[in-house]
Amino acid sequence: MARLYVLLFLAQIVLAVCALISCLSAEEGQIRALPRIAWVLIILFFPLVGSIAWFVAGREPGAASRTVWPGGTSAAERKPRRPLAPDDDPEFLRSVQDRAKQQDQELFRRWEEDLRRREDDLRRRDGEPPREGDRPEV
């Protein structure tokens, strides 16, 4: 029997905490009948009855389905809009790819020039004239 009382006591505490959180996080327009401070005091002093009263009469019906998200609109009213993060924007990602491709081409061009210069230096040191015909055009 004592276990049942402990279980009911814990259920009452959980219900009171949920009601308190719901009451404190509700917008002003979602609270009915009494001011917020009155509901908080009722939930704290009469946990079981106050919690049930809050869920039945204290908040607007369907208030949970009209939750307002940080973007300022409810979940049901959200419209597709411009991506918030740069890595979600396809135009930004395309520009990053183009820039990387240009940098790679420039790096490849500089490597080829450096390789040609080194080959010419080696040929001059060995006494051979530089060969123009063997080099591919870029």
Side-chain angles (χ1 to χ4, degrees):
M1 194 67 169
R3 289 182 190 168
L4 180 64
Y5 289 136
V6 169
L7 183 64
L8 290 175
F9 176 75
L10 290 176
Q12 174 185 341
I13 297 298
V14 167
L15 182 65
V17 168
C18 290
L20 195 59
I21 291 172
S22 175
C23 179
L24 292 174
S25 65
E27 296 291 326
E28 286 298 324
Q30 296 174 340
I31 299 174
R32 295 189 314 178
L34 296 171
R36 182 187 316 261
I37 189 69
W39 280 114
V40 169
L41 292 174
I42 290 171
I43 293 169
L44 287 176
F45 290 130
F46 309 104
L48 183 61
V49 176
S51 300
I52 293 172
W54 164 253
F55 286 119
V56 172
R59 65 182 185 158
E60 271 191 30
S65 65
R66 285 180 282 169
T67 303
V68 176
W69 298 97
T73 59
S74 66
E77 297 171 351
R78 267 197 215 158
K79 300 174 193 171
R81 53 186 159 155
R82 189 171 186 335
L84 296 176
D87 57 345
D88 293 339
D89 188 1
E91 184 179 320
F92 174 77
L93 293 176
R94 236 184 332 273
S95 71
V96 168
Q97 278 181 329
D98 292 343
R99 196 173 336 138
K101 187 176 180 180
Q102 288 174 351
Q103 288 173 348
D104 288 346
Q105 287 175 348
E106 177 64 24
L107 182 63
F108 183 67
R109 186 187 61 75
R110 279 190 274 142
W111 283 348
E112 283 184 334
E113 287 176 2
D114 185 50
L115 181 62
R116 283 188 191 124
R117 185 184 49 79
R118 289 180 185 208
E119 285 177 346
D120 289 343
D121 289 345
L122 284 175
R123 286 198 179 100
R124 279 190 214 118
R125 193 183 66 184
D126 292 340
E128 297 177 27
R131 292 186 285 177
E132 295 292 327
D134 294 341
R135 294 189 190 134
E137 291 297 321
V138 178

